[in-house]
Amino acid sequence: MKKPNLAKQLTALLFTIIITSVSFAEIIPVSNGNSSKYLPASEKSMSGDNQDGILICWLDEANNGSLFVQKIDKNGKHVWDGNGLMVEQDLGSGFTASADYPSIYSDNEGGALIIYRKVLPEADEIYCSKVSSDGSIHDAVCLSSFYDGSN
C-alpha cells in the first residue's frame, strides 16, 4: 500500500484555495466616469497605526487633463465621491508612462498627499495637493516651476 505524499496533497489544497479565491473575487470600480483614465498610482491609507483602506489617484482626459483621487475602505466601499474627487484640472497633455505617474502618500490621518506634474505652454510645474480624510481638498502648493517637469 502506497502512502499519500503530503507535499502533493498540500499543493493540491493550496491550488484549490487560490482558484476558489480568484473565482469569488469582487471587482470594485474606482470611478464610474466615462472618460479615459491613465497612469494610476495607489498607496495604503493609514490612520495612525491602522490601515483604513487604499488610496488611488489617476490622470483623466476630462477638462484638458485632470487629476482624480479615490479612497476605498476595507469593505470595498467608496469613501469619497463615486467618480473620485477632482484634485486639479487643466494639467495639459503629453504625459508619458515613463515619467508622469502621480505619486500618492498617506497622511497617517486617513487622507492623502499627491505630487503631480502640470504641463503648461510656458513651463512644467510640480505640485503637491492634500486631501483630508473627509474628502476636502486643500489648495495645491507649487514645488517646482520654470524647470523641466522631471526635476
Side-chain angles (χ1 to χ4, degrees):
M1 184 165 108
K2 225 175 175 180
K3 291 185 178 179
N5 185 336
L6 184 59
K8 287 182 181 177
Q9 288 178 339
L10 288 174
T11 302
L13 177 63
L14 179 63
F15 282 132
T16 301
I17 291 170
I18 290 171
I19 290 170
T20 303
S21 298
V22 170
S23 65
F24 289 106
E26 182 180 357
I27 296 174
I28 302 167
V30 175
S31 171
N32 298 318
N34 293 328
S35 58
S36 296
K37 286 116 181 84
Y38 305 97
L39 307 176
S42 63
E43 178 64 41
K44 290 188 285 187
S45 176
M46 302 296 292
S47 186
D49 292 333
N50 300 316
Q51 182 179 351
D52 64 351
I54 186 143
L55 302 163
I56 305 145
C57 66
W58 65 93
L59 297 176
D60 193 292
E61 71 178 357
N63 302 310
N64 188 33
S66 301
L67 175 69
F68 281 82
V69 66
Q70 180 61 272
K71 182 175 177 178
I72 307 291
D73 70 14
K74 290 182 184 182
N75 299 315
K77 305 293 182 213
H78 292 171
V79 175
W80 299 328
D81 182 67
N83 290 323
L85 301 173
M86 185 187 304
V87 176
E88 176 105 32
Q89 61 184 12
D90 294 320
L91 297 178
S93 60
F95 295 99
T96 63
S98 62
D100 294 315
Y101 280 90
S103 298
I104 188 165
Y105 305 92
S106 174
D107 67 358
N108 273 349
E109 297 174 349
L113 294 169
I114 308 168
I115 299 173
Y116 56 96
R117 180 177 175 206
K118 197 171 187 179
V119 180
L120 305 169
E122 63 277 0
D124 286 348
E125 297 178 341
I126 308 282
Y127 283 86
C128 180
S129 286
K130 178 173 175 30
V131 182
S132 296
S133 61
D134 65 0
S136 59
I137 300 169
H138 301 256
D139 288 338
V141 174
C142 185
L143 302 176
S144 172
S145 183
F146 303 111
Y147 296 103
D148 182 5
S150 59
N151 60 4

